[in-house]
């Protein structure tokens, strides 16, 4: 579904991503973790077609070309339009697509997404009238409106409280199960990554330094021994890489 070959991104002399290679299969849920500044957002932006890069990436057999958006994207700060209502924000994603579908089909899709994200009753409200969790649900609904094969999420739950975060995490799993999309989630939380994903990719120094497979059936809980061990492992690996980075600077 997603193929990345020698993907390299430089900002001037700063090589942020250094010949990344990986594949993501159909309906896989992959998390990306790594220290601040290691290039997680840059990687998502490249895959989303929002940044140019060297090397290649393809989504569902189509080359990723800067300027052509082929993935759904959800950002940490929601990026909703304050002057549009919930419904208008969700509908907005359709503007970018050349639609073959009829207006009625589109309206049905908007309705279905509003219902799926529990937003039907709030369709007429503006973003400022919503809680953070609701805003992020609007952003997720909007990203799904074009029915992208891949959903890219850059710390979507970072500014939410723990309870909302957990609830949205399990909603995300439901969406993933019902829509069979590929989800790539950037998170700073090792526990979120381990609880939700099939694979956790640890990014460091512009490279994928480790991939941890989480072959544990869902639903998963923090009380499962294997889950606790996986979280510890990811956290320890991140701490070791941090130490490596510090000693490298000396
Ligand atoms: N537009 C830009 N121009 C120049 N440098 C950039 C640009 N965007 C990102 N960078 C640099 O690329 C590196 C990676 O940034 P990026 O935002 O991808 O990190 P991140 O892993 O998402 O960090 P965080 O966890 O803090 O969100 C940083 O060194 C940053 O300064
Ligand atoms: Mg980032």
């Amino acid at each position: 579904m997603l193929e990345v070959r020698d993907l390299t991104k430089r900002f001037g002399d700063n090589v942020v991503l250094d010949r990344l290679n990986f594949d993501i299969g159909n309906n896989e849920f992959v998390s990306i973790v790594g220290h601040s500044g290691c290039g997680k957002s840059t990687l998502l932006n490249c895959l989303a077609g929002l940044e140019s890069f060297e090397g290649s990436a393809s989504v569902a057999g189509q080359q990723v070309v800067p300027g052509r958006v082929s993935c759904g994207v959800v950002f940490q700060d929601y990026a909703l339009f304050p002057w549009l209502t919930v419904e208008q924000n969700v509908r907005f994603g359709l503007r970018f697509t050349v639609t073959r579908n009829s207006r009625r089909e589109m309206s049905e899709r908007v309705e279905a997404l509003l219902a799926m994200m529990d937003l039907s009753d709030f369709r007429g409200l503006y973003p400022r009238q919503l809680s953070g969790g609701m805003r992020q649900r609007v952003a997720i609904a909007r990203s799904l409106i074009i029915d992208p094969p891949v959903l890219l999420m850059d710390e979507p739950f970072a500014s939410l409280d723990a309870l909302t975060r957990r609830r949205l995490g399990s909603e995300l799993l439901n969406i993933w199960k019902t829509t069979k999309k590929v989800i790539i989630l950037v998170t700073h939380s090792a526990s979120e990554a381990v609880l939700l994903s099939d694979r956790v990719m640890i990014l460091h120094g512009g490279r994928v330094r480790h991939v941890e497979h989480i072959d544990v059936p869902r639903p998963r809980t923090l009380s499962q021994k294997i889950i606790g061990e996986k979280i510890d492992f990811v956290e320890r690996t991140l701490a070791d890489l941090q130490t490596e980075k510090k000693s490298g600077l000396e």
Side-chain angles (χ1 to χ4, degrees):
M1 176 55 78
L2 191 103
E3 281 185 14
V4 172
R5 296 288 173 268
D6 288 330
L7 191 157
T8 299
K9 177 68 191 174
R10 304 164 203 270
F11 290 108
D13 292 340
N14 184 7
V15 182
V16 175
L17 302 172
D18 186 11
R19 290 163 292 149
L20 293 185
N21 284 285
F22 59 86
D23 291 282
I24 297 182
N26 285 337
N27 198 208
E28 251 199 292
F29 194 136
V30 175
S31 289
I32 300 177
V33 298
H35 294 294
S36 187
C38 74
K40 304 180 295 298
S41 297
T42 304
L43 174 58
L44 284 205
N45 289 341
C46 289
L47 296 178
L50 299 170
E51 287 273 13
S52 62
F53 56 87
E54 297 160 46
S56 71
S58 66
V59 173
Q62 283 226 326
Q63 287 297 316
V64 175
V65 179
R68 191 175 67 206
V69 174
S70 49
C71 300
V73 193
V74 179
F75 300 99
Q76 174 182 354
D77 57 3
Y78 325 121
L80 298 177
F81 298 110
W83 59 88
L84 297 181
T85 64
V86 166
E87 182 176 347
Q88 289 163 341
N89 264 289
V90 172
R91 204 175 269 274
F92 186 84
L94 292 172
R95 291 200 186 186
F96 296 120
T97 56
V98 183
T99 66
R100 281 159 286 143
N101 305 355
S102 70
R103 187 173 279 212
R104 200 172 81 212
E105 262 177 71
M106 287 301 163
S107 294
E108 280 169 11
R109 203 135 104 214
V110 172
E111 285 311 309
L113 278 172
L114 288 174
M116 180 163 96
M117 298 312 293
D118 259 334
L119 291 166
S120 303
D121 294 344
F122 310 103
R123 65 179 64 231
L125 298 187
Y126 289 88
R128 68 186 138 77
Q129 298 171 297
L130 307 174
S131 69
M134 287 161 88
R135 281 181 208 169
Q136 201 51 291
R137 295 213 302 271
V138 177
I140 294 171
R142 184 181 58 181
S143 71
L144 291 171
I145 194 80
I146 56 166
D147 201 21
V150 177
L151 187 57
L152 306 171
M153 310 185 86
D154 195 355
E155 300 189 52
F157 310 138
S159 45
L160 305 174
D161 64 85
L163 190 67
T164 311
R165 203 175 166 130
R166 229 173 304 146
R167 202 180 299 145
L168 274 183
S170 62
E171 277 179 26
L172 187 60
L173 277 183
N174 284 334
I175 292 170
W176 172 71
K177 265 186 240 151
T178 48
T179 61
K180 307 235 177 293
K181 297 200 182 298
V182 166
I183 295 186
I184 305 182
L185 172 77
V186 166
T187 176
H188 271 118
S189 160
S191 54
E192 196 164 88
V194 170
L195 282 170
L196 295 176
S197 34
D198 299 314
R199 266 195 281 167
V200 180
M201 282 186 6
I202 301 178
L203 210 61
H204 184 77
R207 315 224 54 168
V208 176
R209 288 295 293 267
H210 183 79
V211 179
E212 185 67 9
H213 290 262
I214 320 290
D215 299 320
V216 182
R218 299 174 178 88
R220 303 168 180 167
T221 63
L222 289 173
S223 55
Q224 287 172 274
K225 186 162 170 276
I226 177 81
I227 292 296
E229 286 167 0
K230 295 268 181 195
I231 295 171
D232 281 349
F233 177 81
V234 171
E235 284 179 344
R236 231 173 323 118
T237 307
L238 285 169
D240 290 348
L241 289 169
Q242 180 85 310
T243 318
E244 185 182 301
K245 185 164 124 194
K246 281 202 186 113
S247 53
L249 288 175
E250 277 160 13

